[in-house]
Amino acid sequence: MGELAVSNRVGDELVAIGLGSCIGLAMIDRDAGVAGLAHVVLPESQGKPGPAPKFADLAVPDMIGKMVAAGANKRRLEALMIGGARMFSVGASMDIGSRNADAVRSALRDAGISLKTEEVGGNRGRTARIIIGFDVSSQLAGGERTSLMSLTAGPGSVGRREAAKAV
Amino acid sequence: MTPRYTDMQLDALRELANIASGTAATSLSQLLGRDVDLNVPKAFSLPLADAVDATGDPEEIVTGVALALEGDIEGVVLLLVKSQGAATLCGLLGVEPNTEVGDSAMGEVGNILGAAYLMALSSMTGLSLLPSTPFVVTDMLGSIVASLLAETVGHGDTALVLDSELDITGEPCAISFLLLPNAGGVNDLLAPLGLSEATA
């Protein structure tokens, strides 16, 4: 929760397991082979301290900086978001999941980054997974993986290695 | 400022959890007509990034029964049961697991245990603690716990979790019983014990 991982090594796997109301925000530069995954917990930082990836408004600029540092070109960045469910139908108070999704959309729009795909809402948890050089996928609790974006543009090999976690 | 808790405060919270979950274990035993073992509760205060993993395998499918706390402190009481344990529990209660009736029975177990736990906590601290209607959900442990922590911890970055485990003797059924108070709620629990000062 509130963590971020970026990688440019083919075969690296970035995973956020068990996203409920949280959002797995993926950012990709397909040409440069750079990808990042942030585990966003809340929509706004409201000036409070804490790790930037925890809040949608801070996560997006923070992630862009780290993607560029890893060799991505900001103009080529594409985003996907996964999660934002409402786990408790008559929840304790508010629907954090949909507020998180709205905040991520708005932060991406402000940063000029195109949101290619979203797998959000509903009442089941998801796992977000990026395998560099292979794909970005979403997996519902107890379900199969659904591939959302292929990353096999280049002639990369498809090795699998557990290298980074963004749970 | 992020509240951190001293060893003495965590000991006191663990003792509160111990007594309260002992009361809950007694009601579970009466409900099922079985012996119930109680493990020594854990009290941990962790960065949000590590809190979910401390409660179990985030990917495991579990049934969670959540009761929002109403009254003098805010927070959530959460029961977590693995799928085999939920099937056992439903079997002992004579209902089918993962059906509407099964979920309703799980909610009722949550209600009874939650009420017993909170009543004990209430009598030790003098606080008024009432559980809301239970919500039952079967999903990944990570999705359930993280969604609740997002609400209880909110903009703070330290999660306090009181974790008790109840085992039904001779059955493959362990129930994790978690109290997730919000940041202000922890101080309210500690104040009646004269340990309210959160240290930096």
Side-chain angles (χ1 to χ4, degrees), chain A residues 6 20 24 42 48 50-51 65 76 90 112 122 127 136 154 160 163 166:
Chain A
V6 170
L42 292 172
K48 301 285 193 332
R76 284 196 303 255
V90 200
T127 288
V136 183
R160 293 271 310 273

Side-chain angles (χ1 to χ4, degrees), chain B residues 9-18 21 38-46 51-56 117 159-165 176-181:
Chain B
Q9 288 172 324
L10 288 175
D11 276 346
L13 290 167
R14 196 175 295 120
E15 190 52 28
L16 286 179
N18 193 24
S21 49
L38 173 64
N39 293 349
V40 178
K42 291 176 278 188
F44 50 85
S45 156
L46 287 172
V52 172
D53 284 346
T55 64
Y117 185 97
L160 181 96
V161 179
L162 302 180
D163 186 351
S164 310
E165 191 183 300
S176 280
F177 196 110
L178 308 178
L179 177 66
L180 315 172

Side-chain angles (χ1 to χ4, degrees), chain A residues 48-69:
Chain A
K48 301 285 193 332
K54 180 176 169 186
F55 309 107
D57 57 342
L58 303 182
V60 169
D62 183 56
M63 205 167 174
I64 293 170
K66 294 197 165 93
M67 292 286 293
V68 169

Side-chain angles (χ1 to χ4, degrees), chain B residues 38-70:
Chain B
L38 173 64
N39 293 349
V40 178
K42 291 176 278 188
F44 50 85
S45 156
L46 287 172
L48 205 45
D50 303 323
V52 172
D53 284 346
T55 64
D57 172 4
E59 205 163 13
E60 176 143 27
I61 304 288
V62 298
T63 295
V65 184
L67 303 110
L69 275 184
E70 290 163 4

